[in-house]
């Protein structure tokens, strides 16, 4: 188990493992025998390795939903829901600016220069960018579109939805964590009937 220590540490820190963020570990986690070994080690911590519906991202889940686990999940869910609408607005903005037909998916590449050139030439997109950048989740203090874009993408990268292969090259790859966000949106819409359908533009993405 020592050889899998770094992977376990990342999972316990709340990271999401996908083919974009760590292709080697992602393929390792497709081994059911390894999953069983990891789950045996994690069981005393009330954790287990889980994956989303299409198996594109791995993460840790609780084995038993005891009181402590429920409190932690409630806190995580609240944080995710609070960032949900800004994330959906960002996804819609990228989709429209780059002329994409559907929602972002894991592996999609976004070049900041292309995105910026499309936004600055469109007054409607500029206004939406400014509103988004000033959201408390992105905390931009600049009025310049290029700085607003960099701040928004920086925050989304820190949230784990984007991966930047080269620090000196401004392009990003969408990670598998976006798939879990989309599954959460669908769950809320289909099962919980929460009012995210007040945003018809974002609803159309799904």
């Amino acid at each position: 188990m020592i050889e899998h220590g770094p992977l376990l540490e990342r999972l316990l820190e709340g990271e999401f493992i996908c083919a974009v963020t760590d292709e080697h570990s992602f393929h390792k986690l497709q081994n059911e025998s390894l999953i069983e070994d990891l789950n045996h080690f994690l069981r005393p911590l009330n954790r287990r390795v889980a994956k989303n519906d299409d198996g594109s991202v791995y993460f840790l889940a609780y084995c038993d939903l005891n009181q402590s686990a429920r409190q932690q999940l409630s806190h995580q869910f609240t944080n995710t829901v609070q960032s949900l609408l800004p994330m959906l607005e960002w996804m819609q903005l990228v989709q429209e600016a780059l002329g994409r037909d559907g929602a972002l998916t894991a592996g999609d590449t976004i070049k900041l220069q292309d995105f910026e050139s499309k936004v600055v030439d469109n007054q409607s997109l500029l206004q939406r960018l400014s509103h988004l950048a000033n959201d408390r989740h992105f905390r931009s203090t600049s009025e310049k579109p290029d700085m607003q874009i960099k701040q928004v993408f920086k925050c989304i990268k820190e949230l784990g939805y984007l991966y930047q292969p080269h620090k000196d090259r401004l392009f990003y790859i969408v990670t598998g964590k976006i798939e879990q966000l989309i599954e959460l949106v669908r769950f809320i819409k289909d099962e919980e009937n929460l009012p995210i359908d007040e945003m018809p533009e974002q609803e159309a993405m799904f």
Side-chain angles (χ1 to χ4, degrees):
M1 192 56 63
I2 293 178
E3 64 181 297
H4 304 301
L7 174 58
L8 278 168
E9 287 183 7
R10 293 175 59 193
L11 287 167
L12 286 167
E13 288 172 357
E15 286 196 34
F16 289 70
I17 307 297
C18 70
V20 173
T21 58
D22 188 342
E23 186 175 7
H24 178 65
S25 294
F26 175 75
H27 287 302
K28 284 173 62 176
L29 289 169
Q30 292 175 316
N31 184 328
E32 291 297 329
S33 177
L34 174 60
I35 294 292
E36 290 180 7
D37 290 343
L38 293 176
N39 285 343
H40 178 74
F41 178 84
L42 291 165
R43 187 65 182 86
L45 302 176
N46 193 25
R47 298 290 199 281
R48 62 181 176 84
V49 178
K51 60 183 177 181
N52 67 333
D53 287 346
D54 63 4
S56 61
V57 62
Y58 291 86
F59 51 92
L60 288 194
Y62 287 96
C63 298
D64 302 315
L65 286 179
N66 54 32
Q67 184 61 29
S68 175
R70 289 181 182 277
Q71 290 177 349
Q72 182 65 21
L73 282 174
S74 176
H75 177 70
Q76 292 175 355
F77 184 78
T78 299
N79 288 341
T80 302
V81 169
Q82 287 176 347
S83 65
L84 190 57
L85 297 185
M87 279 297 304
L88 292 179
E89 174 60 26
W90 171 77
M91 292 172 67
Q92 180 73 13
L93 189 62
V94 171
Q95 180 180 325
E96 291 188 17
L98 299 181
R100 296 178 180 268
D101 293 330
L104 292 173
T105 59
D108 285 347
T109 298
I110 305 172
K111 295 181 179 179
L112 231 58
Q113 186 176 5
D114 292 346
F115 178 75
E116 181 181 336
S117 66
K118 297 293 185 181
V119 170
V120 297
D121 288 338
N122 186 308
Q123 188 60 37
S124 175
L125 295 180
L126 266 178
Q127 291 175 351
R128 288 167 60 186
L129 169 66
S130 178
H131 176 76
L132 182 65
N134 287 315
D135 184 273
R136 64 187 180 89
H137 288 90
F138 300 125
R139 309 178 301 277
S140 175
T141 58
S142 176
E143 296 183 359
K144 297 180 179 180
D146 61 330
M147 298 304 296
Q148 292 176 341
I149 290 171
K150 288 178 181 178
Q151 176 64 15
V152 169
F153 274 73
K154 175 177 177 288
C155 290
I156 293 175
K157 183 183 75 170
E158 290 173 350
L159 289 171
Y161 295 105
L162 291 174
Y163 173 66
Q164 188 178 11
H166 308 284
K167 292 184 178 180
D168 57 341
R169 299 175 62 185
L170 294 180
F171 77 91
Y172 297 85
I173 302 175
V174 180
T175 73
K177 190 176 180 180
I178 205 86
E179 309 289 352
Q180 197 201 30
L181 181 71
I182 292 173
E183 287 183 9
L184 174 62
V185 171
R186 289 171 176 156
F187 171 78
I188 292 174
K189 282 171 52 59
D190 297 340
E191 304 295 335
E192 297 297 323
N193 197 30
L194 295 180
I196 66 165
D197 54 4
E198 293 177 2
M199 305 181 68
E201 290 185 355
Q202 283 81 357
E203 182 182 5
M205 295 195 303
F206 308 103

